[in-house]
Amino acid sequence: HLITGLFLFFSARNLGGIRAGALAGALWLTLPAVSLASFVISTDSLLLVFWSAALYCLIRADRADDAAVWRWMLLCGMMVGLGLLAKYAAVYFVIGMAGYAVMRQLRGNGFTARSLFGFAAGLAAASAPTWAWNLANRFVTVRHLGENANLSQPGLNSEGLADFWAAQ
């Protein structure tokens, strides 16, 4: 969580200055959920480290000159790939990244093909171990995620939702 806080500090500092960075880092480190999670061994903690590192790399890529953009994008992809090794929820960063790339393109300052290739190459290289293992084991973890999602069951269940909210 300290490393996540540092990446959030650096990200906010790049976006809004030293005060914004200090506030972002301090807010992260003082969140009650972070305090609780510091006593729990969870894949979420690793995911957050790599997610915040990827965010920092994306911010740096966004502000880098043309020669350095692809290196920051490569690092961003690698951080997301390492996040995928921790938890498959890192794929949401890829979805957000795709949306951000489209928005940049619509504004007329899109990432170059080389930059996007750098992101994809970093992502593929860093996450290769999980895909190789899944391929060797008939994608058992992907199937397991589908089973947990109960995609074959009917959709909305208001009674189940009420029970969930009451438990919270």
Side-chain angles (χ1 to χ4, degrees):
H1 291 288
L2 175 62
I3 296 168
T4 299
L6 287 171
F7 276 118
L8 293 175
F9 164 78
F10 291 128
S11 295
R13 186 185 69 183
N14 273 280
L15 292 172
I18 190 73
R19 295 178 97 187
L23 183 60
L27 284 173
W28 176 258
L29 293 173
T30 58
L31 285 172
V34 171
S35 297
L36 175 64
S38 295
F39 291 100
V40 177
I41 297 173
S42 168
T43 57
D44 293 331
S45 298
L46 280 176
L47 171 64
L48 291 169
V49 167
F50 293 119
W51 189 296
S52 60
L55 177 64
Y56 173 72
C57 292
L58 181 59
I59 291 167
R60 292 298 305 264
D62 197 40
R63 296 166 180 264
D65 61 11
D66 289 341
V69 171
W70 78 270
R71 281 180 253 146
W72 282 110
M73 291 294 280
L74 176 72
L75 281 171
C76 182
M78 291 175 72
M79 293 301 106
V80 175
L82 292 172
L84 276 168
L85 295 180
K87 195 166 188 170
Y88 291 143
V91 77
Y92 298 128
F93 193 100
V94 177
I95 295 167
M97 175 70 195
Y100 182 65
V102 168
M103 284 178 30
R104 280 187 58 136
Q105 188 66 35
L106 292 173
R107 287 190 319 221
N109 63 341
F111 289 116
T112 64
R114 181 179 183 214
S115 300
L116 294 174
F117 178 78
F119 177 81
L123 175 66
S127 65
T130 196
W131 303 121
W133 186 90
N134 270 291
L135 187 61
N137 291 282
R138 298 187 317 254
F139 288 90
V140 67
T141 57
V142 176
R143 285 196 323 268
H144 175 69
L145 287 172
E147 291 166 1
N148 284 346
N150 269 336
L151 296 175
S152 63
Q153 297 296 320
L156 299 174
N157 177 346
S158 59
E159 190 175 303
L161 180 62
D163 289 345
F164 171 78
W165 280 108
Q168 297 308 307

